[in-house]
Structure formats: structure tokens, C-alpha cells
Amino acid sequence: MHLSRHAVRGLGLVMTSLLPSLALGAPDAARQAQLENLLKQDCGSCHGLRMTGGLGPALTLEALAGKPRDSLIATVTYGRPGTAMPGWQPLLSEQDIAWLVDTLLHGYPKP
Ligand code: HEC
């Protein structure tokens, strides 16, 4: 079969857009345990050990209801300049941050 140059380039685009998500999936079990610890110890120091709020707002299921996943990920990644919320990009990967936000969006801590 002969692939035109156009088709080859198209295939390349598909590959590069799919590969990152395939290669860097969800954090493994050990990393998830570390992240859960971070959520309690570090995030919890401002948001409360049970995410019911403190210096930072509550991050409970109810508190986050209706907030878009993407904007929560952006907040955790870059922080909120002018507030106490730091950006976590220097410490956490994109996958780590997505896992944390998904954990919160599924309700943390589990009842
Ligand atoms: C030093 C204190 C502090 C720490 C540590 C901290 N936060 Fe925050 N966080 C805040 C504050 C304050 C806000 C509210 C910012 C504002 O007023 O917009 C906030 C906002 C947020 C929001 C947006 C909530 C909303 O309703 O839009 C999320 C999500 C969040 N933090 C997650 C985290 C996670 C996950 C961690 C740990 C990886 C973390 N925070 C660590 C202080 C903190």
C-alpha cells in the first residue's frame, strides 16, 4: 500500500496526540499512596484534614459540585496568584494533579 505524504503526516499527528496519554497513564499504586498522603498532610494543612476548609476553602464533594474539572486542574497546577493557594507544577506531574482532582471530585475522604 502506498501512503501519500499527507496521510503519513496525518498519522504522525494522531500518534503524537495519543502517545502521551498512553505512555503516562494514571499514577501507579505506590504513587497514589504518596499523593493521598500529600492530600492529607499538605493540601489538608490549608483545606482541612477532611477537606472541610480552613485557610483554604472546602474541597468536599458538595463544595466542588458543578466546578469544571479543567479549572480545578488549572488551579492546582498554577495556584491562584494573590492568594495562599500555591501552584504545584514544580512538584507534581500533570497525571499526579489530574489524579488529585479526580480523587476530590469522587469525594475525599471516603465516608
Ligand atoms: C498554603 C495553603 C494552601 C495549600 C497548601 C493548598 N491550598 Fe488549595 N487553596 C488555598 C486557598 C487560599 C484557595 C482559595 C484561593 C482563592 O481565594 O481563589 C485554594 C483553592 C484551591 C482549589 C480551588 C477550589 C475552588 O472551589 O475553586 C483547589 C481545587 C485546591 N485549592 C486544591 C488544593 C490541593 C489539591 C492542594 C494540595 C496539592 C492544595 N490546594 C494546597 C490554599 C492552599
Side-chain angles (χ1 to χ4, degrees):
M1 188 177 73
H2 177 79
L3 285 175
S4 71
R5 178 176 294 185
H6 187 73
V8 170
R9 181 171 329 133
L11 200 62
L13 276 179
V14 170
M15 301 272 289
T16 46
S17 56
L18 280 181
L19 271 180
S21 56
L22 289 179
L24 308 163
D28 64 18
R31 184 63 180 159
Q32 288 185 17
Q34 288 176 344
L35 290 171
E36 189 172 343
N37 213 37
L38 175 103
L39 194 56
K40 269 191 276 201
Q41 305 300 324
D42 294 67
C43 314
S45 69
C46 285
H47 292 280
L49 203 57
R50 300 188 60 81
M51 307 300 140
T52 47
L55 176 62
L59 301 177
T60 54
L61 206 52
E62 299 75 34
L64 296 180
K67 302 209 170 168
R69 179 176 185 265
D70 284 356
S71 75
L72 297 173
I73 288 179
T75 295
V76 178
T77 305
Y78 304 111
R80 293 257 176 91
T83 77
M85 176 61 185
W88 293 85
Q89 202 175 29
L91 292 174
L92 301 175
S93 72
E94 223 176 290
Q95 287 71 30
D96 288 344
I97 291 172
W99 187 86
L100 285 172
V101 167
D102 288 335
T103 297
L104 291 169
L105 285 175
H106 286 106
Y108 184 86
K110 299 248 173 269

XYZ file of all heavy atoms in Angstrom, residues 38-39 42-47 55-59 63-64 67 72 75-76 80 83-86 88 92 100-101 104, ligand 1:
258
model
N 0.022 13.289 50.566
C 0.194 14.715 50.285
C -1.136 15.457 50.450
O -1.193 16.554 51.014
C 0.718 14.881 48.850
C 0.848 16.314 48.341
C 2.320 16.737 48.363
C 0.326 16.469 46.925
N -2.197 14.826 49.966
C -3.522 15.438 50.045
C -3.892 15.695 51.509
O -4.364 16.765 51.861
C -4.537 14.501 49.370
C -5.933 15.033 49.034
C -5.866 16.273 48.164
C -6.752 13.958 48.321
N -0.357 17.991 53.167
C -0.058 19.309 52.603
C -1.317 20.084 52.228
O -1.537 21.183 52.707
C 0.870 19.176 51.395
C 2.243 18.654 51.796
O 2.325 17.487 52.221
O 3.208 19.410 51.712
N -2.119 19.491 51.376
C -3.362 20.170 50.990
C -4.215 20.338 52.253
O -4.823 21.378 52.469
C -4.129 19.374 49.937
S -3.089 18.756 48.590
N -4.203 19.302 53.097
C -5.017 19.319 54.310
C -4.604 20.403 55.287
O -5.427 20.876 56.072
N -3.332 20.825 55.239
C -2.902 21.861 56.173
C -3.655 23.163 55.911
O -3.843 23.956 56.820
C -1.380 22.070 56.103
O -1.018 22.650 54.875
N -4.091 23.385 54.708
C -4.887 24.582 54.404
C -6.363 24.270 54.214
O -7.222 25.076 54.562
C -4.378 25.271 53.140
S -2.841 26.174 53.399
N -6.653 23.122 53.615
C -8.048 22.815 53.266
C -8.737 21.965 54.333
O -9.908 21.639 54.179
C -8.103 22.117 51.901
C -7.716 23.021 50.766
N -8.585 23.949 50.214
C -6.549 23.171 50.094
C -7.970 24.608 49.240
N -6.723 24.160 49.145
N -7.779 27.565 56.133
C -7.270 28.752 55.439
C -7.791 28.755 53.995
O -8.124 29.796 53.437
C -5.731 28.710 55.455
C -5.007 29.813 54.694
C -5.328 31.178 55.272
C -3.502 29.593 54.731
N -7.853 27.587 53.396
C -8.408 27.443 52.042
C -9.842 26.941 52.122
O -10.264 26.436 53.165
N -10.585 27.079 51.033
C -11.994 26.672 51.033
C -12.159 25.153 51.127
O -11.209 24.404 50.897
C -12.505 27.174 49.676
C -11.285 27.243 48.812
C -10.137 27.570 49.724
N -13.348 24.711 51.451
C -13.656 23.280 51.498
C -13.494 22.677 50.105
O -13.763 23.324 49.084
C -15.080 23.081 51.997
N -13.007 21.428 50.067
C -12.855 20.713 48.794
C -13.679 19.426 48.835
O -13.309 18.417 48.250
C -11.373 20.392 48.541
C -10.410 21.578 48.478
C -8.976 21.088 48.286
C -10.784 22.537 47.342
N -18.797 20.962 48.034
C -18.173 22.247 47.745
C -17.722 22.335 46.283
O -17.726 23.408 45.689
C -16.983 22.482 48.672
N -17.338 21.193 45.712
C -16.806 21.215 44.342
C -17.886 20.948 43.290
O -17.606 21.020 42.090
C -15.680 20.183 44.190
C -14.424 20.446 45.036
C -13.381 19.369 44.799
C -13.835 21.824 44.732
N -18.164 22.518 39.645
C -16.939 23.200 39.200
C -16.256 22.340 38.139
O -16.039 21.150 38.348
C -15.998 23.430 40.382
C -16.686 24.251 41.455
C -15.747 25.074 42.275
C -16.570 26.030 43.121
N -15.830 26.705 44.154
N -10.329 23.262 37.951
C -9.722 22.799 39.205
C -8.288 22.347 38.947
O -7.376 22.639 39.732
C -10.548 21.658 39.802
C -11.984 22.043 40.207
C -12.773 20.808 40.618
C -11.986 23.072 41.325
N -6.169 25.371 38.662
C -5.908 25.977 39.977
C -4.796 25.231 40.701
O -3.886 25.843 41.259
C -7.189 25.969 40.837
O -8.147 26.817 40.214
C -6.921 26.471 42.250
N -4.859 23.886 40.683
C -3.841 23.113 41.400
C -2.491 23.243 40.678
O -1.436 23.316 41.309
C -4.266 21.635 41.552
C -3.191 20.822 42.263
C -5.586 21.534 42.323
N -3.394 30.119 42.708
C -4.207 31.324 42.484
C -3.367 32.504 42.943
O -3.297 32.784 44.150
C -5.497 31.263 43.291
C -6.490 30.197 42.865
C -7.653 30.789 42.075
N -8.553 29.761 41.584
C -9.626 29.316 42.270
N -9.924 29.818 43.448
N -10.390 28.390 41.746
N -3.391 34.766 46.294
C -3.989 34.035 47.413
C -2.925 33.081 47.966
O -1.836 32.961 47.404
C -5.219 33.196 46.990
O -4.752 32.013 46.324
C -6.137 33.972 46.057
N -3.294 32.368 49.029
C -2.341 31.429 49.634
C -2.191 30.156 48.799
O -1.302 29.345 49.059
C -2.804 31.073 51.049
N -3.061 29.945 47.810
C -3.027 28.693 47.044
C -1.802 28.667 46.126
O -1.703 29.439 45.188
C -4.311 28.556 46.211
C -4.343 27.337 45.304
S -4.241 25.768 46.224
C -4.144 24.612 44.872
N -0.842 27.768 46.452
C 0.374 27.701 45.628
C 0.139 26.850 44.375
O -0.791 26.044 44.328
C 1.370 26.996 46.561
C 0.535 26.157 47.479
C -0.832 26.782 47.551
N 1.347 23.765 42.032
C 2.035 22.518 42.359
C 2.830 21.967 41.190
O 3.403 20.871 41.272
C 1.014 21.496 42.869
C 0.471 21.949 44.189
C -0.563 22.819 44.376
C 0.985 21.630 45.486
N -0.728 23.047 45.727
C 0.201 22.327 46.425
C 2.027 20.814 45.941
C 0.424 22.235 47.798
C 2.248 20.717 47.298
C 1.453 21.429 48.219
N 4.566 18.293 41.121
C 3.678 17.222 40.677
C 3.556 17.213 39.164
O 3.564 18.266 38.530
C 2.282 17.416 41.295
C 2.204 17.447 42.828
C 0.775 17.765 43.261
C 2.670 16.129 43.425
N -5.253 13.820 41.708
C -5.711 14.510 42.924
C -7.098 15.124 42.707
O -7.987 14.975 43.548
C -4.716 15.612 43.315
C -3.404 15.155 43.954
C -2.451 16.334 44.103
C -3.653 14.501 45.314
N -7.257 15.806 41.573
C -8.546 16.463 41.311
C -9.649 15.417 41.154
O -10.745 15.571 41.717
C -8.436 17.384 40.063
C -9.812 17.827 39.572
C -7.578 18.611 40.400
N -10.667 14.167 44.523
C -11.552 15.125 45.199
C -12.949 15.111 44.580
O -13.955 15.159 45.292
C -10.956 16.538 45.121
C -9.677 16.762 45.946
C -9.035 18.092 45.581
C -9.990 16.709 47.446
C -0.943 27.361 51.865
C -2.336 26.996 51.803
C -2.808 26.043 50.728
C -2.276 24.825 50.388
C -1.065 24.127 50.967
C -3.141 24.280 49.345
N -4.154 25.158 49.069
Fe -5.613 24.900 47.673
N -6.323 26.768 48.056
C -5.868 27.613 49.049
C -6.648 28.828 49.026
C -6.485 30.033 49.964
C -7.578 28.691 47.967
C -8.630 29.717 47.500
C -7.985 30.662 46.521
C -8.957 31.752 46.124
O -9.362 32.516 47.001
O -9.268 31.809 44.937
C -7.354 27.375 47.380
C -8.068 26.865 46.329
C -7.994 25.563 45.882
C -8.863 24.955 44.905
C -9.997 25.647 44.160
C -11.253 25.437 44.958
C -12.454 26.041 44.302
O -13.505 25.977 44.933
O -12.369 26.556 43.185
C -8.474 23.674 44.759
C -9.089 22.609 43.850
C -7.358 23.458 45.641
N -7.088 24.633 46.312
C -6.699 22.259 45.776
C -5.539 22.088 46.515
C -4.761 20.884 46.501
C -5.101 19.616 45.721
C -3.692 21.116 47.308
C -2.538 20.187 47.599
C -1.839 19.632 46.443
C -3.832 22.462 47.850
N -4.964 23.019 47.342
C -2.950 23.047 48.753
C -4.837 27.348 49.922
C -3.999 26.239 49.891
